[in-house]
Amino acid sequence: MSKKILKTPIKAEDLADIKAGDIIYLSGNIVTCRDVAHRRVVEEGRELPLDINGGAILHAGPIIRKLGEDSYEIVSVGPTTSMRMEKFEYEFIKKTGVRLIVGKGGMGDETMRGCAEFKALHCVFPAGCAVIAATQVEEIQSADWMELGMPETLWNCKVKEFGPLIVSIDTHGNNLFEQNKVDFNKKKDKALSEITKQVGFIK
């Protein structure tokens, strides 16, 4: 199976054959974008200071080192729990046209609806790999809303084969985390029965 690499700007048709559970990579640009930026766009009706239509965002608050005047590098970029953005994500996708959302853990019904309606993906970057993720950032090309502080600044990063990214929500409304819950619950009773036999001596 060939390595699937998305390149920004991403078109809807680029995502049509990608399914929840697939592993993909990203080359081009990805912008760190967390709670406050989502709140500004959705609740305050503000425009992002950069165009992410067809682009990618990363739910992350990176650690940044300043190299010089308007020059920075990422030291570490661990993904933030995506569910924190759940209440904003449908409207955020609708308003910005973002195609790829990357974070940690699953998301819910509103994000599923947004991904299906506006043709976007939510993906998971493996947790605990923040330093590795930083090595995949070739350059920070711009920084906006710096008044929000380092974690909430929109760091526009040029990346090459950023990943692996595990697709958790696809454009067809499939949700890997929700499906896994169903599958795991089917196996739960049998697993508990076997474990109980082995540890029954513990009081």
Side-chain angles (χ1 to χ4, degrees):
M1 183 177 174
S2 60
K3 191 174 184 180
K4 180 71 174 181
I5 303 172
L6 290 177
K7 296 181 180 180
T8 56
I10 303 166
K11 299 177 182 178
E13 51 264 36
D14 297 333
L15 309 179
D17 63 343
I18 298 175
K19 303 291 191 298
D22 287 352
I23 295 175
I24 63 175
Y25 296 80
L26 176 72
S27 290
N29 286 78
I30 190 167
V31 180
T32 61
C33 185
R34 300 206 320 171
D35 308 57
V36 178
H38 279 73
R39 189 174 294 113
R40 280 186 168 186
V41 170
V42 176
E43 293 185 346
E44 300 177 14
R46 297 176 63 168
E47 296 287 333
L48 286 175
L50 72 171
D51 184 9
I52 61 169
N53 186 31
I57 62 169
L58 175 60
H59 295 157
I63 297 173
I64 303 292
R65 178 186 294 124
K66 187 169 184 177
L67 300 177
E69 190 65 30
D70 297 324
S71 178
Y72 305 89
E73 70 174 358
I74 286 188
V75 176
S76 175
V77 57
T80 296
T81 301
S82 287
M83 192 57 79
R84 284 168 42 180
M85 271 58 73
E86 169 65 17
K87 64 181 179 180
F88 305 116
E89 212 67 81
Y90 175 85
E91 288 295 328
F92 188 89
I93 297 170
K94 179 181 179 180
K95 290 185 175 184
T96 64
V98 67
R99 294 281 183 201
L100 185 68
I101 302 157
V102 180
K104 179 175 70 176
M107 298 193 78
D109 291 343
E110 285 301 290
T111 303
M112 290 168 60
R113 187 163 69 97
C115 286
E117 189 172 334
F118 306 113
K119 305 308 175 190
L121 300 177
H122 177 263
C123 297
V124 176
F125 191 96
C129 299
V131 175
I132 293 175
T135 67
Q136 298 171 347
V137 175
E138 295 185 318
E139 179 188 1
I140 296 177
Q141 295 188 323
S142 65
D144 292 288
W145 288 352
M146 294 187 72
E147 72 275 12
L148 299 179
M150 185 184 296
E152 298 287 352
T153 293
L154 302 175
W155 301 100
N156 182 20
C157 304
K158 182 182 178 183
V159 296
K160 183 177 181 181
E161 296 189 15
F162 185 77
L165 307 176
I166 304 165
V167 179
S168 69
I169 298 175
D170 62 27
T171 59
H172 309 286
N174 300 308
N175 188 321
L176 180 65
F177 280 79
E178 293 304 313
Q179 184 57 52
N180 281 345
K181 287 179 185 178
V182 173
D183 294 340
F184 296 157
N185 279 329
K186 288 179 181 177
K187 302 173 183 177
K188 181 179 68 175
D189 290 341
K190 182 180 178 182
L192 285 174
S193 177
E194 292 176 357
I195 292 171
T196 300
K197 292 176 185 177
Q198 297 174 30
V199 299
F201 63 92
I202 301 175
K203 303 297 183 183

